[in-house]
Amino acid sequence: MSTEPRTITLATSDFGPVTLTCPAWCAGHSHHDPETARADLMHTGPAVDFTHLGTTVFSAEIVQSPHAAPGPAHLGGRTPGVSVHPLGKTLDPVQIFSLAAALDRYADQLRDLGDQLTAVLNGGAE
Ligand SMILES: [Zn+2]
C-alpha cells in the first residue's frame, strides 16, 4: 500500500479545478458535483447507518470541509467532525459520545415500552 499522500483534483463552480489531499479516512469523492463551490468541498468517511425494518433511522460519518469559511462547528468546517443525519449537525467527540449515551437511554425506554405492551396484551394493564 502506498504511503504517498492521496490527492484528488475536483472541479468547482468558483475556483475551477481544486486539488485536495485526502485524509486516510476519506472514502473518496465519487459523488462529486462539479457545480460545488470550493468552500463546500468535503472529505467524507464511510457511513455508519442504523437501519431497522428497511428505514435508515440514523446515519453518521466523519466529514471535513478543508476550504470552509470559519463558522459554527455544528455546521461543519475545517475541523473534522461526525455529521449525523437526520440531526443535520456535525458533532465533536464529546457531542457524539453524548448522542450515543442518549441513544442508550432511549433503548432502555423502548425496552420499558416493550414490557408495558406485553402487559397490555396479556390483560395485565389498562
Ligand atoms: Zn477526500
Side-chain angles (χ1 to χ4, degrees):
M1 189 169 169
S2 172
T3 57
E4 293 295 313
R6 202 167 38 122
T7 61
I8 188 166
T9 300
L10 301 169
T12 64
S13 61
D14 51 354
F15 283 83
V18 172
T19 300
L20 301 176
T21 300
C22 288
W25 50 263
C26 180
H29 297 264
S30 60
H31 301 303
H32 176 70
D33 178 351
E35 293 303 313
T36 302
R38 185 179 75 161
D40 295 330
L41 292 175
M42 182 180 290
H43 299 293
T44 305
V48 175
D49 292 335
F50 168 45
T51 301
H52 191 71
L53 300 176
T55 298
T56 299
V57 179
F58 265 109
S59 182
E61 58 203 3
I62 296 178
V63 296
Q64 180 196 25
S65 297
H67 294 287
H74 68 275
L75 296 177
R78 295 182 182 202
T79 301
V82 174
S83 177
V84 179
H85 302 276
L87 286 182
K89 296 182 189 266
T90 299
L91 306 180
D92 66 22
V94 170
Q95 293 169 320
I96 199 72
F97 282 114
S98 176
L99 172 61
L103 289 171
D104 283 342
R105 290 190 298 275
Y106 187 68
D108 286 340
Q109 290 177 300
L110 288 176
R111 285 187 274 276
D112 289 345
L113 273 179
D115 288 342
Q116 186 180 351
L117 178 60
T118 299
V120 166
L121 293 174
N122 290 333
E126 296 182 22

